Amino acid sequence: MFARHVRFNLANFIAAAVIGMCVLAASVVVGVNFAVDHAVSVDARARAEDWATYFVSTLPDLDRLLATGQLDDRQSAVVATATKVGNVFRFKLYNAAGSAILESDTKAFGKDQDSDHVDEEASEVVSTRQSLVSLNDGSNERNMPALYAEAYVPVLNADGSLRAIVEAYVDQTKTAVLFKTSFETLAIGLGLGIAIAFGAPALAFLLRTNQAREVKHRIEFLARHDPMTSLLNRTSFAEMLAPRMSKRNEHAQLAVVFLDVDDFKTINDSYGRDAGDEFLKHVARTIAGLCLDGDFVARAGGDQFIVALTRSSQLEVTATVEAMIAAVREPITARGHRISGRLSAGVYLVQSAGDVEDALHQADLALYQAKIDGKNTVRLFSVEMEVRMRERRVLEQLIRDALTLGKFELHYQPLLDVDSKTCKGFEALLRLKDKNGAYVPPPTFIPIAEAIGLIDQIGRWALQEATRTAVLWPDPMFVSVNLSVRQFAGDHLVGDVENALKASGLPGHRLELEVTESLLMENTQSVATQLKALKGLGVSIAMDDFGTGYSSLSYLWQFGFDKLKIDRSFIMALDVDEKKALEILDTIIVLAHRLEMKVTAEGIETEKQATILAGLNCDQFQGYLYGKAAPAENIAPMLLRKSEPV
Ligand code: C2E
Ligand code: MG
Ligand code: MG
């Protein structure tokens, strides 16, 4: 479209330039002819005047000739040679009264002859005493040059009075040709100069204008489209969706679909940004390729896309979305890497003419749900989702605020030695109050903190706070800090732990770190390296909530865990099916001891549970029976009693 525009204007410019050149050429022709005529006249006058001077100075006894009109021999000789001088091919001599005395073919008129005949031009010179020149075309006259000048030149006395008039016929044919050629060359040069002087800036201006127009069109395009994929952008998508929503076809299902690449950051990090961009373009093409007439797609930013689909039923909508997810899963080669991506999708089925932003929001909520439900899937928006999401957003904000305003707390729950029933250390447990002052359970807010990428910062704070607190406790009491799997994803966990120990002054052996089984499902090499480095700091590592995940005991040995914390659910199971629970607990404890790990039983609430686990050779107890988690200042009695039984 832009190219057509440019061509059209260039054609205009060329047409204008051609017309301009024609006008210029016509003006040049007229101008050159006029200039040549003028120059030839001026030249003829000069030549005639020069010739007249020459003639009267070489002609002896001019006054006598003027008076008598009779040529003597000497004068005849001069007259005979005079026409061979310069371009003058003929001349006449008039007396001061303007009467012809002599013609160049040496015809003297004599005193009586024609003496009263006064030439018109000569008589004008008599009165003006100025030279008079006229140019004549001699091409049709016999024995005449093609162009000649007739110049009347006054010959003056020393006192300025008129002595005679010489009429010289000057052949200007060659001079005119010479002038014409010179003027034409000059005119062409000038013309070219003018063309360059005016044409070049005009052309530059035109190109600049076209460039500016192109830029304007590009800016307009960019304002409506995503530059990388050339899909619509979010704003123009919303503009297009509005009329569709207000004028809905009753027999068709309009759906707004939000699609997001799962873990796109990993693709970017693993294969580089260029490959990441290639992949996004592939996703854009794939999604657009599965659209039908009337559907439209936008890139909502980053790795997110929005599609408006019109299908005959909800089933067809989900089938299309599932086809998109499946197509994107097919691997592609980008920048030499084989990449296969996954998509999550949220669908909002438009029910009534409503607000566009609301529709986009509902689809976004459904997408969010798809992500929470494990990604690589599609979810339809429901009203309950809205309520859940609203609560979630409130929690997200609460977490963000708590982090920036320092509102997180750590409570400490005692860990007791089974035999001596003495307190050996405390587990630090994170606490967060909602706006009403009620504590939000960690299993509610920790996954959210992980999802919004804040667990690293929160975990770092917990490490610093716990070590700062524990250093005040009697040696060798330890503090146990929970770590999220996410904290192993970066490369700063070991540094964070080291810094916390250094800053607090707590020796490494008084710090225990609790990790969960899910950690072993991650990149085991990197996890193993980090665990080893942590152990190198003297820190001990405990496997928390053992039995709730999928890892095997052999794994634990490989990673060199120091302690196993049996999940509360096994302890609770004692009250339900004591025999079976006993068997399982016995197996776990025996095996853990074989692998040189200590065993802690979590969630001891009754004396009965404590007695059974003591009988199974459990090493440590943790549970409400011995104390709930409490703020650091409230655990003083336990600390004072130090190693005494609680
Ligand atoms: P966990 O590490 O297994 O912590 C023990 C949980 O069991 C704590 O719940 C504790 O209050 C509770 N508990 C202890 N004894 C009893 C008992 O006798 N009966 C009952 N019913 N519960 C008992 P809490 O504090 O709600 O923490 C829950 C989970 O949140 C923790 O489980 C841990 O996985 C996570 N968590 C807590 N603090 C942090 C933290 O700083 N970082 C990370 N990443 N996770 C944390
Ligand atoms: Mg724990
Ligand atoms: Mg636990």
Side-chain angles (χ1 to χ4, degrees):
M1 185 174 72
F2 312 140
R4 214 184 313 139
H5 226 92
V6 173
R7 269 204 301 276
F8 174 72
N9 285 299
L10 268 179
N12 273 355
F13 176 78
I14 290 165
V18 168
I19 293 170
M21 292 303 275
C22 289
V23 170
L24 190 66
S27 324
V28 165
V29 170
V30 173
V32 165
N33 285 340
F34 177 79
V36 169
D37 283 357
H38 181 71
V40 170
S41 297
V42 171
D43 181 77
R45 181 192 303 267
R47 284 175 190 274
E49 284 173 356
D50 286 350
W51 188 87
T53 308
Y54 149 78
F55 178 67
V56 295
S57 60
T58 48
L59 191 76
D61 218 357
L62 173 65
D63 293 329
R64 194 190 57 78
L65 175 62
L66 290 170
T68 62
Q70 297 293 327
L71 280 171
D72 60 22
D73 290 346
R74 283 183 311 146
Q75 287 170 332
S76 292
V78 170
V79 167
T81 55
T83 51
K84 294 184 179 72
V85 175
N87 285 9
V88 176
F89 61 92
R90 192 177 167 196
F91 66 88
K92 281 185 186 175
L93 183 69
Y94 298 87
N95 63 16
S99 302
I101 300 297
L102 176 75
E103 231 184 79
S104 55
D105 46 5
T106 63
K107 178 180 163 198
F109 293 110
K111 181 81 178 120
D112 334 307
Q113 251 189 311
D114 260 351
S115 58
D116 293 333
H117 171 78
V118 175
D119 185 281
E120 208 176 300
E121 283 83 1
S123 70
E124 196 180 324
V125 176
V126 170
S127 54
T128 63
R129 269 177 273 167
Q130 298 285 325
S131 299
L132 197 67
V133 183
S134 66
L135 275 183
N136 303 300
D137 179 2
S139 45
N140 294 324
E141 293 178 43
R142 262 192 61 200
N143 298 330
M144 293 301 263
L147 185 77
Y148 66 95
E150 227 179 310
Y152 290 81
V153 180
V155 179
L156 303 178
N157 291 310
D159 61 358
S161 59
L162 191 66
R163 188 176 171 199
I165 297 167
V166 175
E167 182 192 355
Y169 286 72
V170 188
D171 181 355
Q172 287 293 67
T173 312
K174 280 185 188 161
T175 308
V177 169
L178 196 73
F179 276 137
K180 201 163 181 191
T181 315
S182 306
F183 275 117
E184 275 171 357
T185 308
L186 191 70
I188 289 166
L190 265 173
L192 280 176
I194 289 166
I196 289 165
F198 292 97
L203 188 65
F205 172 76
L206 185 82
L207 290 176
R208 253 206 321 275
T209 311
N210 275 327
Q211 236 169 21
R213 192 177 294 122
E214 227 178 311
V215 167
K216 188 170 161 262
H217 280 265
R218 183 90 190 123
I219 288 168
E220 279 167 9
F221 182 83
L222 287 179
R224 295 192 54 77
H225 294 82
D226 162 54
M228 193 176 83
T229 59
S230 292
L231 293 178
L232 294 169
N233 59 21
R234 198 186 198 279
T235 315
S236 22
F237 182 91
E239 279 169 19
M240 282 176 75
L241 185 61
R244 292 291 174 91
M245 283 183 65
S246 54
K247 281 190 215 122
R248 271 186 332 115
N249 176 353
E250 293 302 316
H251 307 291
Q253 177 62 63
L254 174 65
V256 180
V257 187
F258 242 102
L259 295 133
D260 185 283
V261 179
D262 295 333
D263 305 311
F264 179 63
K265 191 178 173 302
T266 315
I267 295 179
N268 253 351
D269 292 348
S270 316
Y271 308 113
R273 285 196 70 88
D274 290 346
D277 286 355
E278 286 295 316
F279 180 73
L280 285 181
K281 286 183 207 165
H282 155 72
V283 174
R285 278 194 300 271
T286 308
I287 294 174
L290 286 161
C291 284
L292 302 178
D293 274 356
D295 297 345
F296 46 95
V297 196
R299 182 172 175 220
D303 57 349
Q304 279 204 345
F305 300 86
I306 350 169
V307 189
L309 295 176
T310 307
R311 294 291 182 276
S312 58
S313 67
Q314 172 193 323
L315 226 63
E316 275 197 31
V317 169
T318 40
T320 305
V321 177
E322 269 159 8
M324 287 171 176
I325 295 175
V328 167
R329 221 178 289 146
E330 288 298 316
I332 58 150
T333 304
R335 309 266 162 165
H337 302 287
R338 236 175 127 60
I339 306 176
S340 99
R342 285 160 189 255
L343 284 184
S344 291
V347 178
Y348 172 64
L349 299 164
V350 180
Q351 305 299 338
S352 54
D355 185 64
V356 167
E357 281 308 317
D358 283 350
L360 289 169
H361 175 65
Q362 326 282 46
D364 196 16
L365 282 182
L367 169 66
Y368 208 71
Q369 190 64 51
K371 293 278 185 191
I372 292 171
D373 292 350
K375 308 175 180 175
N376 188 31
T377 188
V378 51
R379 286 288 175 271
L380 292 181
F381 170 80
S382 69
V383 180
E384 303 81 67
M385 214 177 258
E386 175 101 73
V387 176
R388 271 205 307 277
M389 286 308 160
R390 205 171 298 136
E391 286 168 2
R392 193 180 159 111
R393 303 264 187 237
V394 170
L395 277 178
E396 283 183 9
Q397 200 49 49
L398 193 71
I399 294 167
R400 289 183 206 283
D401 291 347
L403 193 60
T404 45
L405 304 172
K407 290 289 169 76
F408 278 112
E409 300 169 29
L410 279 184
H411 284 191
Y412 299 89
Q413 187 178 27
L415 289 142
L416 285 92
D417 177 63
V418 170
D419 296 332
S420 63
K421 296 286 188 300
T422 52
C423 177
K424 293 289 177 188
F426 292 85
E427 178 174 0
L429 293 158
L430 202 55
R431 294 290 177 261
L432 172 66
K433 276 183 190 156
D434 67 16
K435 63 177 190 320
N436 301 317
Y439 282 112
V440 183
T444 304
F445 72 80
I446 285 174
I448 298 175
E450 287 175 336
I452 60 177
L454 293 182
I455 198 67
D456 267 344
Q457 292 180 56
I458 297 170
R460 197 172 300 130
W461 174 82
L463 277 166
Q464 290 166 355
E465 177 66 16
T467 50
R468 235 184 346 241
T469 305
V471 80
L472 305 172
W473 302 340
D475 198 1
M477 265 193 181
F478 68 90
V479 67
S480 198
V481 178
N482 292 282
L483 293 181
S484 158
V485 176
R486 297 286 174 113
Q487 287 174 268
F488 283 83
D491 54 1
H492 41 72
L493 177 62
V494 178
D496 288 348
V497 173
E498 201 173 359
N499 290 341
L501 290 173
K502 262 197 201 143
S504 62
L506 187 77
H509 70 270
R510 292 181 60 195
L511 176 65
E512 187 173 78
L513 297 172
E514 297 189 14
V515 296
T516 54
E517 288 168 294
S518 53
L519 182 70
L520 306 181
M521 308 306 290
E522 301 293 311
N523 179 349
T524 47
Q525 189 49 53
S526 154
V527 168
T529 312
Q530 293 183 66
L531 288 176
K532 203 165 166 225
L534 289 171
K535 291 191 70 153
L537 297 172
V539 171
S540 57
I541 314 286
M543 166 57 68
D544 202 359
D545 302 341
F546 184 76
T548 54
Y550 2 70
S551 60
S552 74
L553 280 166
S554 63
Y555 261 129
L556 302 183
W557 169 77
Q558 264 186 30
F559 284 95
F561 286 100
D562 301 286
K563 187 191 271 185
L564 208 72
K565 295 184 78 177
I566 302 174
D567 190 67
R568 192 165 68 91
S569 55
F570 289 93
I571 314 309
M572 281 161 67
L574 282 171
D575 300 333
V576 185
D577 186 346
E578 188 179 324
K579 194 167 168 286
K580 201 170 173 209
L582 260 175
E583 266 177 36
I584 298 169
L585 285 166
D586 187 43
T587 311
I588 295 173
I589 295 167
V590 167
L591 220 75
H593 283 157
R594 286 266 166 84
L595 298 171
E596 295 175 346
M597 286 185 275
K598 294 250 180 265
V599 179
T600 298
E602 292 183 310
I604 305 286
E605 293 186 355
T606 64
E607 289 291 354
K608 189 189 164 202
Q609 290 167 342
T611 312
I612 292 172
L613 281 150
L616 292 172
N617 285 329
C618 192
D619 302 290
Q620 285 179 350
F621 285 157
Q622 179 180 4
Y624 291 171
L625 182 63
Y626 308 105
K628 288 189 173 183
E633 53 274 24
N634 297 0
I635 60 169
M638 274 179 271
L639 295 172
L640 286 173
R641 267 182 268 140
K642 220 173 153 189
S643 301
E644 291 163 25
V646 183

